[in-house]
């Protein structure tokens, strides 16, 4: 058996190379993970008095004192707008610019769009935890004067 002695320099160089490889691997993993998260994370737009999110051409908005309103509420609104509520069953779309609860049809430069402003029952579903799949109850949600609606262009192809 032949024993080889490694110099301090050789050992140190080997350790440095291995450490650099580990750091490069961690960096590549972190960059890949970040890229993946950017792809799957929704783009939620927050402003002082609103939260907005669009999914499958449904533009979802919560207006009012939204400071304590977590992202999960706008995401749940989008989920219900794209899967729970069947807008094809609504036969009466009123022409109006109001934000009162109901179903409306409006005209804009880009074309005709529909608006669904949530009624009290749907607001309770969303903010008061009334459904099994509702987010947790938002404390004092009824004092925040919140309005939630979904709108979409009629001619959009999604």
């Amino acid at each position: 058996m032949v024993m080889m002695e490694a110099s301090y320099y050789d050992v140190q160089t080997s350790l440095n190379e291995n450490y650099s490889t580990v750091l490069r691997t961690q960096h590549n993993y972190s960059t890949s993970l970040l890229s993946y998260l950017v792809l799957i994370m929704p783009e939620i737009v927050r402003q002082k008095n609103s939260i907005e999110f669009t999914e499958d051409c449904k533009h979802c908005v919560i207006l009012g004192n939204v400071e304590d309103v977590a992202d999960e509420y706008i995401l749940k609104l989008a989920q219900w707008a794209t899967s729970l509520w069947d807008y094809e069953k609504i036969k009466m779309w009123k022409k109006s610019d109001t934000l009162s609860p109901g179903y409306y049809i409006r005209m804009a430069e880009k074309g005709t769009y529909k608006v669904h402003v949530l009624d009290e029952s749907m607001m309770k579903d969303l903010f008061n935890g009334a459904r099994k799949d509702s987010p947790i109850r938002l404390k004092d949600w009824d004092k925040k004067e919140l309005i939630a609606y979904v709108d979409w262009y009629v001619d959009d192809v999604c």
Side-chain angles (χ1 to χ4, degrees):
M1 174 189 249
V2 178
M3 298 283 287
M4 294 184 65
E5 283 189 36
S7 70
Y8 173 79
Y9 174 78
D10 292 336
V11 171
Q12 196 63 33
T13 301
S14 179
L15 288 173
N16 286 342
E17 287 173 359
N18 288 338
Y19 184 69
S20 293
T21 301
V22 168
L23 287 180
R24 275 195 307 277
T25 303
Q26 282 180 325
H27 173 74
N28 290 341
Y29 175 74
S30 297
T31 303
S32 298
L33 181 60
L34 181 60
S35 298
Y36 175 72
L37 289 175
V38 166
L39 288 174
I40 64 167
M41 290 300 291
E43 186 175 340
I44 297 171
V45 179
R46 281 188 168 272
Q47 296 179 19
K48 183 179 179 184
N49 294 317
S50 68
I51 305 172
E52 299 179 49
F53 176 68
T54 301
E55 183 175 318
D56 295 338
C57 295
K58 299 287 193 283
H59 175 239
C60 303
V61 181
I62 300 173
L63 297 173
N65 182 0
V66 297
E67 186 177 331
D68 298 329
V69 178
D71 291 351
E72 66 183 310
Y73 295 96
I74 194 74
L75 294 173
K76 185 56 72 172
L77 176 60
Q79 180 187 0
W80 289 346
T82 58
S83 63
L84 177 65
W85 300 320
D86 186 357
Y87 292 114
E88 297 298 320
K89 290 183 178 179
I90 307 300
K91 302 299 179 203
M92 182 74 160
W93 294 87
K94 302 174 194 170
K95 289 184 180 181
S96 178
D97 289 334
T98 185
L99 281 177
S100 296
Y103 301 93
Y104 305 100
I105 191 161
R106 300 178 181 165
M107 301 299 290
E109 274 187 38
K110 287 180 64 178
T112 304
Y113 67 101
K114 292 184 175 180
V115 181
H116 167 213
V117 182
L118 276 62
D119 61 23
E120 185 177 345
S121 171
M122 292 173 170
M123 293 292 282
K124 284 181 180 177
D125 289 347
L126 186 59
F127 297 111
N128 203 37
R131 292 177 49 92
K132 286 182 182 178
D133 64 336
S134 295
I136 61 169
R137 184 182 188 286
L138 178 64
K139 184 179 179 188
D140 297 328
W141 71 272
D142 50 341
K143 295 177 182 149
K144 294 181 180 294
E145 298 182 17
L146 298 172
I147 296 172
Y149 68 88
V150 180
D151 63 22
W152 65 96
Y153 283 96
V154 174
D155 296 329
D156 269 357
V157 177
C158 296

